[in-house]
Amino acid sequence: MTTPYRWYSIASGAALLALWSVLTLSGLVDERSLPSPVTLAQTFADLLARGYSGSPLWSHIGISVFRALSGFSLAILIGVPLGLLIGRHKVLEAVFAPIIGFFRPIPPIAFITLFVFYFGIGEGPKIGLIFMACLWYVVLNSAEGVRNIPDLIIRAGENIGLTRPQLFFKVVLPAALPAIMTAIRAASSISWTLVVASELIGAQAGLGFMILDSAQYFNLPVTYVGIIIIGLIGLVWELAISAVQRRVLHWQGK
Amino acid sequence: MNEVLVSKGLEKCFPSPGRAPGERIKAVTDFNLVIEAEEIICIVGPSGCGKSTFLDMVAGFTEPTSGLLEIMGEEIHKPSPDRGVVFQQPVLFPWLSVYDNVVLGPKSRGVKPGDYGPEADRVLKSVGLEKFRDHYPYQLSGGMKQRAQIARVLVAGPKLILMDEPFGALDAQMRINMHELLISVWQEYKPTILFITHDVEEALFLADRVIVMSHHPGTIARIYDIPFERPRTYGITADPRFAEARAEIVELLRAKPEARQ
């Protein structure tokens, strides 16, 4: 964001906070249905000190981040090479097209009960769900990245005498990198979004568990604090990935 | 004389969409040409006449349908840095610096850094990019990108340099600068160059021989020997023989195929 406009963002954020404070602290809105910022601050301090449901707050945060990162990383590790191969080989593309075409449009949440049936309620099904949801994006974007590489740049690589493996690692891979980074970015936000859904599968800890559990007991301040923590972590994660993207793709000159 | 490139009875056909299956278009046919060492050959012709198809075959990007195509006695089957191409579009690897673009080829072929390093420095200096070796392609102007492509080709010490309308996208002033640069590069390295263009003046200024191609069939209509001494300067464009040759070639390019013989 450029500097002259930053003040508008700060102002709109501050206005929202002010409106929320006025509505809740003045009693216009019932504190039981919308907690005030002060209540949330107290709740946060309380969660920090005493934890939730027998586990400290950081372990709820830690387990959610662990699940999201595991599913996300697996999807990158398997999806990027698979996508690059599919983008480069017509036969593989033809083999995988119907599989991906069928599974991709199904909302991953639809698989939750099946995952529990097959894999139980451990870490496996949660990470598996996140992995599966991210995988299609990573595979499709990476494949698309390879397909969109201009013919001429491949010719240039052949012309300077690169062998086929060299052509793949020194031309195809870097040329597809912008698309791969886009896929990684999309997958990162999907993985974080799905943490809450995956923690529906009989979780005993995690931020998703915390907000679901607290809402069931009408402990709304905890629910709100949980949602705010999820939002902030998502924001930091997004910023970190953008920073990596800018570094890795500095040669795009953007 | 040293024959660098020999093309005899060369033909290239493509399957033609929209026509009967099996019926094929002859893009290049009966193409006979011998290029001698250190020559600059310019091919001019209307667009679609097959000049780029010929260059693609020499580069090894596509195989001829029939006929003979040899570089220093060896048949051409695949691309090689022996036949470095300067593309019309500035095809550099955008994720590599100018220097790394130039050395990627030799490095990948296993040339020692002690050998390709000084050579890369030399060619970058020859094309006037020595101060831009650490720049990335997005930081370069159109002319500088073409210089970088020339450096990338030169560093391999090619038997033949193939240039496919390399200055077509540049503005007039930049194009003149690039012509002068190419002349000076030629003075220094004495490479053999096959240069494709649709700009008759460019061809006359650069070439030892100008090949005029015809459309349907895509073959050589005429070959002009260009008599001007090297090193050339832009002064020759004022020479009456220059104007005369230009008028003649332009007329030939405008002529209907049946009126040509």
PDB file of all heavy atoms in Angstrom, chain A residues 52-53 208-219 223:
ATOM      1  N   TYR A  52      -7.096 -23.084  28.069  1.00  0.00           N
ATOM      2  CA  TYR A  52      -8.492 -23.419  27.803  1.00  0.00           C
ATOM      3  C   TYR A  52      -8.635 -24.934  27.794  1.00  0.00           C
ATOM      4  O   TYR A  52      -7.830 -25.643  27.178  1.00  0.00           O
ATOM      5  CB  TYR A  52      -8.930 -22.840  26.457  1.00  0.00           C
ATOM      6  CG  TYR A  52     -10.400 -23.079  26.166  1.00  0.00           C
ATOM      7  CD1 TYR A  52     -11.374 -22.268  26.749  1.00  0.00           C
ATOM      8  CD2 TYR A  52     -10.808 -24.135  25.365  1.00  0.00           C
ATOM      9  CE1 TYR A  52     -12.715 -22.498  26.520  1.00  0.00           C
ATOM     10  CE2 TYR A  52     -12.146 -24.373  25.130  1.00  0.00           C
ATOM     11  CZ  TYR A  52     -13.101 -23.547  25.710  1.00  0.00           C
ATOM     12  OH  TYR A  52     -14.432 -23.789  25.496  1.00  0.00           O
ATOM     13  N   SER A  53      -9.662 -25.421  28.485  1.00  0.00           N
ATOM     14  CA  SER A  53      -9.972 -26.852  28.492  1.00  0.00           C
ATOM     15  C   SER A  53      -8.760 -27.701  28.869  1.00  0.00           C
ATOM     16  O   SER A  53      -8.490 -28.726  28.248  1.00  0.00           O
ATOM     17  CB  SER A  53     -10.493 -27.253  27.110  1.00  0.00           C
ATOM     18  OG  SER A  53     -10.897 -28.598  27.113  1.00  0.00           O
ATOM     19  N   GLY A 208      -9.543 -24.128  16.331  1.00  0.00           N
ATOM     20  CA  GLY A 208     -10.865 -24.491  15.810  1.00  0.00           C
ATOM     21  C   GLY A 208     -11.696 -25.151  16.902  1.00  0.00           C
ATOM     22  O   GLY A 208     -12.868 -24.815  17.107  1.00  0.00           O
ATOM     23  N   PHE A 209     -11.060 -26.095  17.608  1.00  0.00           N
ATOM     24  CA  PHE A 209     -11.729 -26.747  18.742  1.00  0.00           C
ATOM     25  C   PHE A 209     -12.168 -25.694  19.765  1.00  0.00           C
ATOM     26  O   PHE A 209     -13.295 -25.721  20.261  1.00  0.00           O
ATOM     27  CB  PHE A 209     -10.782 -27.763  19.389  1.00  0.00           C
ATOM     28  CG  PHE A 209     -11.145 -28.102  20.807  1.00  0.00           C
ATOM     29  CD1 PHE A 209     -12.224 -28.944  21.078  1.00  0.00           C
ATOM     30  CD2 PHE A 209     -10.427 -27.560  21.871  1.00  0.00           C
ATOM     31  CE1 PHE A 209     -12.565 -29.239  22.394  1.00  0.00           C
ATOM     32  CE2 PHE A 209     -10.780 -27.841  23.180  1.00  0.00           C
ATOM     33  CZ  PHE A 209     -11.850 -28.687  23.444  1.00  0.00           C
ATOM     34  N   MET A 210     -11.262 -24.761  20.060  1.00  0.00           N
ATOM     35  CA  MET A 210     -11.528 -23.758  21.090  1.00  0.00           C
ATOM     36  C   MET A 210     -12.757 -22.915  20.741  1.00  0.00           C
ATOM     37  O   MET A 210     -13.626 -22.709  21.595  1.00  0.00           O
ATOM     38  CB  MET A 210     -10.305 -22.856  21.254  1.00  0.00           C
ATOM     39  CG  MET A 210     -10.277 -22.057  22.537  1.00  0.00           C
ATOM     40  SD  MET A 210      -8.683 -21.227  22.730  1.00  0.00           S
ATOM     41  CE  MET A 210      -9.089 -19.631  22.076  1.00  0.00           C
ATOM     42  N   ILE A 211     -12.854 -22.457  19.479  1.00  0.00           N
ATOM     43  CA  ILE A 211     -13.999 -21.598  19.157  1.00  0.00           C
ATOM     44  C   ILE A 211     -15.296 -22.409  19.071  1.00  0.00           C
ATOM     45  O   ILE A 211     -16.350 -21.926  19.461  1.00  0.00           O
ATOM     46  CB  ILE A 211     -13.770 -20.752  17.874  1.00  0.00           C
ATOM     47  CG1 ILE A 211     -13.602 -21.627  16.647  1.00  0.00           C
ATOM     48  CG2 ILE A 211     -12.578 -19.831  18.025  1.00  0.00           C
ATOM     49  CD1 ILE A 211     -13.585 -20.813  15.366  1.00  0.00           C
ATOM     50  N   LEU A 212     -15.217 -23.651  18.614  1.00  0.00           N
ATOM     51  CA  LEU A 212     -16.434 -24.469  18.542  1.00  0.00           C
ATOM     52  C   LEU A 212     -16.921 -24.840  19.935  1.00  0.00           C
ATOM     53  O   LEU A 212     -18.101 -24.718  20.253  1.00  0.00           O
ATOM     54  CB  LEU A 212     -16.153 -25.752  17.750  1.00  0.00           C
ATOM     55  CG  LEU A 212     -15.922 -25.548  16.262  1.00  0.00           C
ATOM     56  CD1 LEU A 212     -15.281 -26.783  15.650  1.00  0.00           C
ATOM     57  CD2 LEU A 212     -17.245 -25.213  15.580  1.00  0.00           C
ATOM     58  N   ASP A 213     -15.959 -25.281  20.759  1.00  0.00           N
ATOM     59  CA  ASP A 213     -16.286 -25.720  22.112  1.00  0.00           C
ATOM     60  C   ASP A 213     -16.862 -24.565  22.940  1.00  0.00           C
ATOM     61  O   ASP A 213     -17.891 -24.712  23.594  1.00  0.00           O
ATOM     62  CB  ASP A 213     -15.020 -26.280  22.760  1.00  0.00           C
ATOM     63  CG  ASP A 213     -15.325 -26.993  24.065  1.00  0.00           C
ATOM     64  OD1 ASP A 213     -15.990 -28.049  24.012  1.00  0.00           O
ATOM     65  OD2 ASP A 213     -14.919 -26.468  25.128  1.00  0.00           O
ATOM     66  N   SER A 214     -16.209 -23.397  22.860  1.00  0.00           N
ATOM     67  CA  SER A 214     -16.659 -22.261  23.677  1.00  0.00           C
ATOM     68  C   SER A 214     -18.037 -21.774  23.218  1.00  0.00           C
ATOM     69  O   SER A 214     -18.876 -21.405  24.037  1.00  0.00           O
ATOM     70  CB  SER A 214     -15.653 -21.117  23.609  1.00  0.00           C
ATOM     71  OG  SER A 214     -15.473 -20.697  22.272  1.00  0.00           O
ATOM     72  N   ALA A 215     -18.280 -21.829  21.900  1.00  0.00           N
ATOM     73  CA  ALA A 215     -19.584 -21.390  21.403  1.00  0.00           C
ATOM     74  C   ALA A 215     -20.692 -22.315  21.899  1.00  0.00           C
ATOM     75  O   ALA A 215     -21.792 -21.860  22.206  1.00  0.00           O
ATOM     76  CB  ALA A 215     -19.570 -21.327  19.877  1.00  0.00           C
ATOM     77  N   GLN A 216     -20.359 -23.609  21.983  1.00  0.00           N
ATOM     78  CA  GLN A 216     -21.369 -24.559  22.474  1.00  0.00           C
ATOM     79  C   GLN A 216     -21.771 -24.266  23.920  1.00  0.00           C
ATOM     80  O   GLN A 216     -22.883 -24.560  24.330  1.00  0.00           O
ATOM     81  CB  GLN A 216     -20.847 -25.991  22.354  1.00  0.00           C
ATOM     82  CG  GLN A 216     -21.175 -26.584  20.986  1.00  0.00           C
ATOM     83  CD  GLN A 216     -20.338 -27.809  20.650  1.00  0.00           C
ATOM     84  OE1 GLN A 216     -19.597 -28.314  21.500  1.00  0.00           O
ATOM     85  NE2 GLN A 216     -20.451 -28.268  19.425  1.00  0.00           N
ATOM     86  N   TYR A 217     -20.835 -23.710  24.709  1.00  0.00           N
ATOM     87  CA  TYR A 217     -21.136 -23.360  26.107  1.00  0.00           C
ATOM     88  C   TYR A 217     -21.476 -21.879  26.253  1.00  0.00           C
ATOM     89  O   TYR A 217     -21.411 -21.326  27.340  1.00  0.00           O
ATOM     90  CB  TYR A 217     -19.956 -23.732  27.011  1.00  0.00           C
ATOM     91  CG  TYR A 217     -19.760 -25.230  27.096  1.00  0.00           C
ATOM     92  CD1 TYR A 217     -18.778 -25.866  26.345  1.00  0.00           C
ATOM     93  CD2 TYR A 217     -20.602 -26.022  27.876  1.00  0.00           C
ATOM     94  CE1 TYR A 217     -18.615 -27.237  26.392  1.00  0.00           C
ATOM     95  CE2 TYR A 217     -20.451 -27.397  27.932  1.00  0.00           C
ATOM     96  CZ  TYR A 217     -19.459 -28.004  27.195  1.00  0.00           C
ATOM     97  OH  TYR A 217     -19.311 -29.362  27.226  1.00  0.00           O
ATOM     98  N   PHE A 218     -21.815 -21.223  25.150  1.00  0.00           N
ATOM     99  CA  PHE A 218     -22.173 -19.792  25.139  1.00  0.00           C
ATOM    100  C   PHE A 218     -21.094 -18.916  25.776  1.00  0.00           C
ATOM    101  O   PHE A 218     -21.386 -17.870  26.327  1.00  0.00           O
ATOM    102  CB  PHE A 218     -23.528 -19.559  25.825  1.00  0.00           C
ATOM    103  CG  PHE A 218     -24.610 -20.362  25.181  1.00  0.00           C
ATOM    104  CD1 PHE A 218     -25.160 -21.463  25.809  1.00  0.00           C
ATOM    105  CD2 PHE A 218     -25.053 -20.021  23.904  1.00  0.00           C
ATOM    106  CE1 PHE A 218     -26.145 -22.222  25.183  1.00  0.00           C
ATOM    107  CE2 PHE A 218     -26.041 -20.783  23.279  1.00  0.00           C
ATOM    108  CZ  PHE A 218     -26.593 -21.887  23.922  1.00  0.00           C
ATOM    109  N   ASN A 219     -19.829 -19.375  25.691  1.00  0.00           N
ATOM    110  CA  ASN A 219     -18.719 -18.577  26.223  1.00  0.00           C
ATOM    111  C   ASN A 219     -18.176 -17.728  25.072  1.00  0.00           C
ATOM    112  O   ASN A 219     -17.060 -17.936  24.594  1.00  0.00           O
ATOM    113  CB  ASN A 219     -17.658 -19.537  26.788  1.00  0.00           C
ATOM    114  CG  ASN A 219     -16.589 -18.786  27.560  1.00  0.00           C
ATOM    115  OD1 ASN A 219     -16.592 -17.556  27.604  1.00  0.00           O
ATOM    116  ND2 ASN A 219     -15.667 -19.531  28.144  1.00  0.00           N
ATOM    117  N   THR A 223     -14.790 -17.438  22.139  1.00  0.00           N
ATOM    118  CA  THR A 223     -14.999 -17.645  20.704  1.00  0.00           C
ATOM    119  C   THR A 223     -14.406 -16.479  19.902  1.00  0.00           C
ATOM    120  O   THR A 223     -13.677 -16.670  18.936  1.00  0.00           O
ATOM    121  CB  THR A 223     -16.501 -17.759  20.388  1.00  0.00           C
ATOM    122  OG1 THR A 223     -17.101 -18.640  21.332  1.00  0.00           O
ATOM    123  CG2 THR A 223     -16.733 -18.280  18.988  1.00  0.00           C
TER     124      THR A 223
END
